[in-house]
Amino acid sequence: MSESATAHVDSVEHAAATPERVQPYAALGLTDDEYAKVRVLLGRRPTSGELAMYSVMWSEHCSYKSSKKYLRRFGDKVTPRMREHLMVGMGQNAGVVDIGRGWAVTFKVESHNHPSYIEPFQGAATGVGGIVRDIIAMGARPVAVMDQLRFGDLGEADTLRVVHGVVAGIAHYGNCLGLPNIGGETVFDAVYQGNPLVNALAVGVLKHEDLRLANATGAGNKVVLFGARTGGDGIGGASILASDTFSSGGPTKRPAVQVGDPFAEKVLIECCLELFRANA
């Protein structure tokens, strides 16, 4: 690599030697306190790559930083009876329950609230895509989807904008994957005006021996990224959007909403299951 090329690489050595460099941490969704903590943890300022990773992993989208104290209560209330048929619980991509005769069901529910308010169709569609991805990651074949929806006052014009877009987005993505929507629930209440709840759920089936977990150990492992092309949201769009508020106006943030590609994911379902069968 030439000297001119290396001059543009923000390496660990370069980061240690340039502590005064101003970094766009706020634009990446990190608070002043969080950025200060990153510097304390590393003993220096982060490199540009490290800053991007922290912004994603410490985002609302990935770390549930505002709600994890409540989510922990579910783990605290798990009883031995609940664990009787539980093969995989909290901490993995999806839950897995033994249903007998060597078979198991895996399921995941996830919210796509902010994206669905900004861009209802794509926000809801990519919510379905994300949970189907988590079902595949467990080594299972997805077989169905469901949804739990909360919208604002039916008398408000903006509610209709959100409702029609969300319902169409969920239906479109599931239909393209060949997954039936087997049920759901919808509630309208003024408390959800401007902040709808869009929860999508996917169900998959697998044999016990096909179970895969999101664990990796040791140094030197290769990481392979594959999937649909990166869209206008960039590599951290959903993460930043989930950590933001609507104060600066909804539609202006549309570029940060992911655009779904269900036909690419249809291929990825078969690709992933083939990789698992080959024990690659």
Side-chain angles (χ1 to χ4, degrees), residues 6-237:
T6 55
H8 292 89
V9 176
D10 191 21
S11 63
V12 170
E13 293 76 17
H14 183 250
T18 56
E20 74 289 344
R21 179 175 175 178
V22 178
Q23 297 184 284
Y25 64 89
L28 292 173
L30 290 172
T31 65
D32 293 343
D33 289 346
E34 288 169 340
Y35 179 69
K37 187 170 184 179
V38 170
R39 295 187 69 126
V40 170
L41 288 171
L42 296 176
R44 55 172 169 79
R45 74 163 179 84
T47 66
S48 297
E50 289 169 337
L51 182 64
M53 286 190 284
Y54 272 107
S55 77
V56 171
M57 297 312 296
W58 284 11
S59 70
E60 188 70 45
H61 188 72
C62 293
S63 70
Y64 299 92
K65 56 188 176 184
S66 72
S67 57
K68 57 187 174 185
K69 63 182 179 182
Y70 304 110
L71 295 173
R72 286 196 187 101
R73 295 182 183 179
F74 288 101
D76 295 338
K77 295 178 180 179
V78 175
T79 65
R81 184 179 179 185
M82 292 177 181
R83 292 192 187 96
E84 188 177 345
H85 300 290
L86 185 67
M87 294 176 62
V88 177
M90 296 175 69
Q92 291 290 332
N93 282 305
V96 181
V97 175
D98 177 16
I99 58 172
R101 298 188 180 182
W103 286 89
V105 170
T106 178
F107 55 91
K108 173 71 175 285
V109 61
E110 185 175 273
S111 65
H112 246 223
N113 309 328
H114 277 53
S116 297
Y117 176 69
I118 305 301
E119 175 46 65
F121 183 93
Q122 292 296 348
T126 51
V128 174
I131 54 166
V132 170
R133 170 203 61 213
D134 293 338
I135 294 303
I136 305 167
M138 301 305 293
R141 176 174 292 281
V143 295
V145 294
M146 298 178 71
D147 56 76
Q148 303 157 298
L149 311 174
R150 300 289 186 271
F151 300 114
D153 190 336
L154 254 179
E156 293 283 341
D158 191 57
T159 300
L160 298 180
R161 173 188 71 90
V162 179
V163 168
H164 292 305
V166 165
V167 172
I170 291 173
H172 169 77
Y173 207 100
N175 285 341
C176 291
L177 293 180
L179 299 177
N181 191 312
I182 58 175
E185 58 177 17
T186 304
V187 173
F188 294 91
D189 193 292
V191 72
Y192 299 107
Q193 199 69 43
N195 190 24
L197 301 187
V198 178
N199 296 301
L201 179 145
V203 181
V205 294
L206 69 158
K207 291 187 175 179
H208 289 189
E209 61 267 26
D210 293 333
L211 177 64
R212 296 292 188 276
L213 300 178
N215 301 338
T217 57
N221 292 310
K222 293 181 179 179
V223 177
V224 181
L225 301 179
F226 60 101
R229 289 179 179 273
T230 301
D233 55 301
I235 61 172

